[in-house]
Amino acid sequence: MPAEPHAAPHTHEPDEVPHTHPDPGVDPHAPLAAGARALRVGIGGPVGSGKTALVAALCRALGDELRLAVVTNDIYTTEDADFLLRNGVLPADRIRAVETGCCPHTAIRDDISANLDAVEDLEAALGPLDLVLVESGGDNLTATFSKGLIDRQIFVVDVAGGDKVPRKGGPGVTAADLLVINKIDLAPLVSADLTVMDRDARARRGELPTVFLSLVQDRAASPVADWIRGLVAARVPAA
Amino acid sequence: MSLATLLVLADGRLPSGGHAHSGGLEPQVSAGRVRELDSVAEFLRGKLATTGLVAAAFAAAACARPGNGAEFDQGIDVRTPSPALRKASRAQGRALLRAARAMWTLPSAGREPHQPVALGIVASAAGLGALEAAVAAAHGTVSGAASAAVRLLGLDPYAVHGLLARLAPDCDRIAAAAAKTAGAPVDDLPAAGAPLLDIGAELHATWEVRLFAS
Ligand SMILES: Nc1nc2c(ncn2[C@@H]2O[C@H](COP(=O)(O)OP(=O)(O)OP(=O)(O)O)[C@@H](O)[C@H]2O)c(=O)[nH]1
Ligand SMILES: [Mg+2]
């Protein structure tokens, strides 16, 4: 079910909507200046879709090659941060939990101050970082990150939510820089049709990439880790 | 002085970190002391007369003398027995400075001043006077907790705004008194306290599950 390989090399029309290239892992958005600060990637999506499991997998996959840190946003507790600690994927000083006051989407979109404080505190305490992952509290299909907080965002949905989710759209599904359809190992159990999800995701997202994933089968979240490697590699040195 | 500038500064939608704080309401709701509209009204009235008065006085003084921020900051420290409340106030001061830096040209104000001190310094940078800084502080102490009440208790939002409208003259009165002491030595500024807010904040900070940061 992976997205079709890009016809490479290929050209772009000047007025074309910007899109990412899942296949070569090269990002054609205006490149982010390297060096000034870490690349910040937001990870959003509905409750229980696998955001924390994805963060843990990315820490396992990238922890040795990138200087990375994580900010979690839990609605009630520090559950997500605790999970990452328990699983030993990252040392405690690389994880910060932000409390979101009833409204997880407010903390990542309308009033991002607590998250920015957390990112800045991590960089102040740890020195320069390559990558900061910001996990939002589980929310609904309308929750997206502010560009004031993150550089790129991943939206995680799962097949157990029904194969209708990509069709329903919403800014997370339509506009996230990467859509992850997780828990494909469960598809037969919940009668989810992945070809329908793939077709609907393409219709909603144009050329923005979508990947299918099972975090129980692929503990390194390979397609997502590759996408992030591409983003980091594409950063241009600061002038 | 620009009234519209005051509205920009006092707007609840200003992204200055307030949405994550209940202004001390969450622990009182959990303790059963605040349950419905009447007890929310009592809570807000008590808060305004104590921490609201102190916040208004320090915001006014910091607005009149923005260069003395460190001294006012200590003044609030000694008036805030609860470490959890001191931390919450500093977090909101830092967030306010972050938002305000994008709006006006600020003098250096430290990394994490208490919220009323930050508010006074920001008001001054915005060209507002001590009275306006105090109004914003007094109104802010009740409006944040009122919006938390809507979320925590599922109250009728119109009824809660009715409360805020009835408290507005009290906010004005407190702000007027605060503006009069804007030039007073820090030790002479009000020191009204609300012990239940301090105790509640300390208990709240130990909870494993909570909706608000404070
Ligand atoms: N079968 C299966 N289970 C998964 C997969 N990914 C995650 N899970 C499980 O799904 C549950 C929820 O995963 P989390 O990573 O906590 O989800 P989340 O999106 O962080 O949840 P919130 O932060 O509460 O919104 C956990 O029990 C995971 O073990 C997957 O690919 N397949
Ligand atoms: Mg999670």
Side-chain angles (χ1 to χ4, degrees):
Chain A
M1 224 58 50
E4 267 165 37
H6 254 74
H10 63 287
T11 55
H12 295 282
E13 301 304 321
D15 56 348
E16 192 178 303
V17 180
H19 64 275
T20 52
H21 293 216
D23 205 46
V26 175
D27 183 281
H29 290 104
L32 300 156
R37 61 165 177 77
L39 175 77
R40 298 178 196 158
V41 175
I43 300 183
V47 178
S49 60
K51 298 179 291 299
T52 305
L54 176 60
V55 170
L58 291 173
C59 290
R60 268 184 235 112
L62 301 170
D64 289 338
E65 58 193 88
L66 298 177
R67 296 167 296 180
L68 72 86
V70 171
V71 177
T72 63
N73 282 254
D74 259 326
I75 310 182
Y76 306 113
T77 61
T78 53
E79 190 72 39
D80 285 343
D82 296 343
F83 175 88
L84 296 173
L85 281 176
R86 266 201 315 279
N87 283 267
V89 292
L90 217 56
D93 63 349
R94 293 188 170 261
I95 305 172
R96 294 275 156 126
V98 165
E99 289 176 288
T100 59
C102 275
C103 286
H105 55 265
T106 305
I108 60 162
R109 190 184 57 204
D110 311 289
D111 185 348
I112 55 181
S113 45
N115 273 296
L116 286 175
D117 286 349
V119 173
E120 280 180 10
D121 290 349
L122 282 166
E123 290 192 301
L126 299 169
L129 297 171
D130 301 309
L131 175 67
V132 177
L133 300 173
V134 183
E135 180 190 342
S136 82
D139 208 323
N140 56 46
L141 293 174
T142 67
T144 51
F145 286 85
S146 158
K147 293 191 171 61
L149 175 60
I150 51 89
D151 302 303
R152 295 288 182 271
Q153 53 188 310
I154 300 174
F155 200 71
V156 184
V157 299
D158 69 48
V159 302
D163 56 20
K164 64 195 180 297
V165 169
R167 192 161 58 246
K168 282 190 170 178
V173 166
T174 57
D177 299 293
L178 180 67
L179 178 67
V180 173
I181 298 179
N182 187 33
K183 307 194 192 179
I184 55 169
D185 55 295
L186 299 180
L189 302 175
V190 296
S191 311
D193 186 339
L194 298 185
T195 55
V196 167
M197 296 183 94
D198 189 37
R199 187 196 64 209
D200 292 343
R202 278 161 197 270
R204 289 269 176 235
R205 293 173 55 72
E207 286 199 63
L208 288 169
T210 301
V211 296
F212 287 81
L213 192 63
S214 164
L215 285 165
V216 293
Q217 288 162 1
D218 179 357
R219 305 240 312 143
S222 314
V224 183
D226 284 345
W227 182 78
I228 288 179
R229 284 187 187 100
L231 292 179
V232 173
R235 295 186 78 184
V236 293
Chain B
M1 193 277 294
S2 148
L3 268 183
T5 301
L6 174 59
L7 292 180
V8 171
L9 179 60
D11 190 337
R13 286 163 296 190
L14 183 72
S16 55
H19 71 97
H21 298 267
S22 76
L25 188 73
E26 187 171 25
Q28 304 306 334
V29 166
S30 149
R33 291 189 195 97
V34 177
R35 298 167 196 275
E36 27 47 53
L37 200 64
D38 287 345
S39 41
V40 171
E42 291 300 301
F43 177 85
L44 295 180
R45 217 173 278 288
K47 197 169 145 64
L48 185 57
T50 53
T51 55
L53 176 70
V54 173
F58 275 80
C63 180
R65 291 168 282 164
N68 294 16
E71 193 190 336
F72 297 128
D73 213 47
Q74 280 185 355
I76 293 195
D77 258 344
V78 299
R79 284 164 178 77
T80 315
S82 153
L85 283 186
R86 291 203 291 272
K87 186 170 160 228
S89 168
R90 289 187 179 282
Q92 291 178 81
R94 178 181 179 185
L96 176 59
L97 290 184
R98 182 193 290 286
R101 270 197 298 271
M103 300 159 77
W104 300 290
T105 306
L106 301 189
S108 81
R111 199 178 85 98
E112 253 189 351
H114 279 296
Q115 199 274 351
V117 178
L119 182 57
I121 293 172
V122 168
S124 147
L128 297 169
L131 177 63
E132 288 77 38
V135 169
H139 172 70
T141 46
V142 288
S143 61
S147 110
V150 173
R151 286 186 266 167
L152 281 169
L153 294 165
L155 296 178
D156 175 355
Y158 303 115
V160 171
H161 258 74
L163 284 182
L164 287 177
R166 287 195 288 287
L167 283 171
D170 296 310
C171 291
D172 282 333
R173 188 173 45 73
I174 281 178
K180 287 209 182 79
T181 58
V186 63
D187 288 347
D188 294 349
L189 293 177
L196 269 181
L197 282 182
D198 292 297
I199 294 166
E202 286 305 300
L203 290 174
H204 185 259
T206 67
W207 295 0
E208 208 194 319
V209 177
R210 54 177 175 245
L211 281 161
F212 288 88
S214 81

